[in-house]
Amino acid sequence: ATTLGASAAERGGRYFGTAVAAYKLSDSVYTTILNREFNSVTPENEMKWDATEPSQNSFNYSSSDQIVNQARSRGAKVRGHALAWHSQQPGWAAGMEGTALRNAMINHVTQVATHFRGQIDSWDVVNEAFADGSGGGRRDSNLQRTGNDWIEVAFRTARAADPGAKLCYNDYNTDDWTHAKTKAVYRMVQDFKQRGVPIDCVGFQSHMNQQSPYPSNYRTTLSSFAALGVDVQITELDIQNATPAWYSGVVTDCLAVARCNGITVWGIRDSDSWRASQTPLLFDGSGNKKAAYNSVLTAL
Ligand code: XIL
């Protein structure tokens, strides 16, 4: 096929998605590429806690609904991002601790997942809960300080609210199979599967930079998690300088793992990227296809 989404669909029904910002849906260069190339979308910021619950128990879905409706009207999937996260919390939650925060988190997950019930393919239920470095522990945060079980509580709450959605754990710096953080997430997923905590998928953000070589064990990481009985998805892909060989490496590694069912890039044009100065995406600022685009399409 001649587009990313159609080519991915021909590869065992996979998807190829992008992060979308609601305020850009009026930009026709942007939406032309979006509608042509991508059969899945992830709201870049619009479903985060600060956006959806700006004051406690008062919910605003205007921009998130806009993205969901645009996607669904053209048959694209939606990844929900993210129900529980230490970052981009509204001020009222960021200042909370203990039982009050735990209850606020549970209410948030329930309300947001219920609002979108039936419309989301996969939810990032919990985002970035593990620490960087070699310790292999949880990240310190107000949510973590409510008790180590906050992650499984978030998953059980999301399952109850939206039983048809796939529920994912999502993190970054988890590409390298030898990395302590990767192993720590793996042990959590293994434990959840053993104890029946509802988890269906693991998202690998894969914000890659080239201080280090391409992670040659990336495929091992994806297949090891898949062997636990979860789908794996590449959820926020961007690569410093958009080196074509790295992009094709990611696609090839995903295709080699049967349960790697989708890839999402974190924006459309370089100018849309949160790391724009590194020109890490598939389209240039004018919306032209870059060499990285061709390498992805060829690998698909
Ligand atoms: C980023 C967005 O791209 C920016 O617009 C925003 O200012 C900060 O968040 N990990 C995630 C994403 O899970 O939600 C982040 O998105 C990038 C890192």
Side-chain angles (χ1 to χ4, degrees):
T2 58
T3 66
L4 302 172
S7 298
E10 288 176 1
R11 295 298 209 133
R14 289 176 169 88
Y15 65 79
F16 204 100
T18 181
V20 165
Y23 73 92
K24 292 176 184 164
L25 291 173
S26 56
D27 172 342
S28 65
V29 174
Y30 184 86
T31 53
T32 296
I33 302 171
L34 172 64
N35 296 344
R36 187 185 69 216
E37 299 286 346
F38 297 103
N39 57 358
S40 175
V41 305
T42 305
E44 186 172 0
N45 290 296
E46 291 79 351
M47 283 187 185
K48 293 172 181 176
W49 199 346
D50 59 355
T52 49
E53 195 179 0
S55 53
Q56 190 168 14
N57 217 23
S58 166
F59 291 83
N60 182 343
Y61 299 109
S62 52
S63 59
S64 49
D65 278 344
Q66 210 186 325
I67 294 175
V68 170
N69 292 338
Q70 198 274 353
R72 288 171 52 78
S73 71
R74 60 185 188 85
K77 290 182 157 80
V78 181
R79 295 195 84 263
H81 174 81
L83 292 172
W85 189 24
H86 71 276
S87 186
Q88 291 181 268
Q89 294 181 359
W92 63 266
M96 252 181 203
E97 297 273 355
T99 306
L101 176 64
R102 174 64 68 95
N103 289 335
M105 182 275 283
I106 292 169
N107 183 55
H108 180 75
V109 172
T110 299
Q111 295 298 323
V112 177
T114 299
H115 175 81
F116 291 106
R117 179 166 50 212
Q119 304 184 68
I120 304 295
D121 178 72
S122 305
W123 269 112
D124 290 332
V125 177
V126 170
N127 197 27
E128 302 183 347
F130 281 82
D132 292 306
S134 57
R138 295 282 182 87
R139 171 195 298 277
D140 179 52
S141 71
N142 59 346
L143 289 166
Q144 179 61 30
R145 291 190 294 272
T146 68
N148 213 44
D149 63 339
W150 74 276
I151 298 179
E152 61 191 85
V153 168
F155 275 86
R156 292 188 200 281
T157 304
R159 181 69 98 219
D162 188 4
K166 289 183 209 125
L167 305 182
C168 305
Y169 176 78
N170 193 54
D171 214 328
Y172 67 93
N173 277 350
T174 49
D175 306 324
D176 184 336
W177 179 238
T178 67
H179 190 208
K181 186 174 176 180
T182 310
K183 291 287 170 63
V185 174
Y186 178 87
R187 286 191 297 270
M188 179 189 73
V189 175
Q190 186 175 47
D191 171 58
F192 280 12
K193 293 302 281 186
Q194 280 166 358
R195 291 191 296 112
V197 178
I199 184 167
D200 308 300
C201 38
V202 175
F204 298 82
Q205 292 184 10
S206 301
H207 296 293
M208 293 182 170
N209 64 60
Q210 297 176 303
Q211 267 82 45
S212 47
Y214 180 79
S216 59
N217 54 26
Y218 190 52
R219 189 182 302 189
T220 302
T221 302
L222 299 175
S223 62
S224 299
F225 275 85
L228 293 174
V230 288
D231 288 341
V232 294
Q233 305 172 344
I234 296 158
T235 55
E236 303 184 15
L237 180 63
D238 50 19
I239 300 174
Q240 184 178 23
N241 301 324
T243 305
W246 283 50
Y247 264 108
S248 59
V250 169
V251 171
T252 303
D253 286 341
C254 178
L255 292 178
V257 177
R259 293 198 75 157
C260 184
N261 66 322
I263 299 175
T264 298
V265 289
W266 204 240
I268 297 178
R269 302 161 299 194
D270 286 332
S271 50
D272 299 315
S273 173
W274 71 313
R275 27 187 323 212
S277 66
Q278 299 176 28
T279 59
L281 294 175
L282 302 178
F283 295 87
D284 71 18
S286 306
N288 300 306
K289 295 171 181 174
K290 295 167 58 182
Y293 173 95
N294 295 318
S295 81
V296 167
L297 190 63
T298 303
L300 273 172

